[in-house]
Amino acid sequence: MLKTVVMLVDDEVPFVDTMTRRLGKRNLSIVTAYSGYEALEKLREKDSNVDVVILDVKMPGMDGIETLRKIKQAHPLVEVIMLTGHATVETGIEGMKLGAFDYLMKPCDIDQLMAKVKEAKNKKTQHEDKITQARIQEITLRRGA
């Protein structure tokens, strides 16, 4: 079975390094980005196979909400978990409205984060399966016509 590919996006280098180690030990493949711009660049790469993005809300330059908006426009099937130490109810609601899978407070419990990553990956896989089934059905109908 393929490893789940998770992109960690946070401007705090020590946090990214620590989370990369902790999540890597849990059989996830980790891609790192230290800004919203870098995250979008890495997602655009043709061999990018990111399943879930763990995205910090408060970052200089492009913040997490704007990054989320751009990720969902360009990569609608990629699931995004918002993560922040500066949580406000409004930001959480805004993130969810824009299509975030979920919203967690920093520091978050690693088991809780892993459960969310697994749920998000399952949701993405279900969407991909539905699209594949629809395409197969469309091809089958065209051939039968």
Side-chain angles (χ1 to χ4, degrees), residues 21-112:
R21 281 194 305 277
R22 293 183 75 191
L23 294 172
K25 287 179 184 172
R26 287 167 173 79
N27 208 30
L28 297 177
S29 182
I30 308 297
V31 177
T32 58
Y34 299 97
S35 70
Y37 300 107
E38 187 182 355
L40 293 168
E41 215 173 275
K42 287 186 174 184
L43 283 169
R44 272 194 295 272
E45 292 172 5
K46 73 174 190 314
D47 62 344
S48 170
N49 56 348
V50 172
D51 297 304
V52 180
V53 174
I54 299 171
L55 178 62
D56 188 30
V57 171
K58 294 274 189 201
M59 295 185 292
M62 187 188 310
D63 70 5
I65 293 294
E66 185 59 25
T67 304
L68 169 67
R69 187 178 284 118
K70 290 184 182 297
I71 289 171
K72 283 302 190 179
Q73 283 170 353
H75 311 278
L77 294 181
V78 172
E79 293 297 340
V80 179
I81 298 169
M82 304 297 288
L83 203 58
T84 188
H86 315 273
T88 63
V89 174
E90 294 79 22
T91 311
I93 291 168
E94 188 177 354
M96 298 303 270
K97 282 182 184 171
L98 289 170
F101 178 77
D102 211 333
Y103 192 85
L104 295 173
M105 292 285 293
K106 265 173 154 178
C108 65
D109 177 68
I110 194 76
D111 293 328
Q112 183 185 18

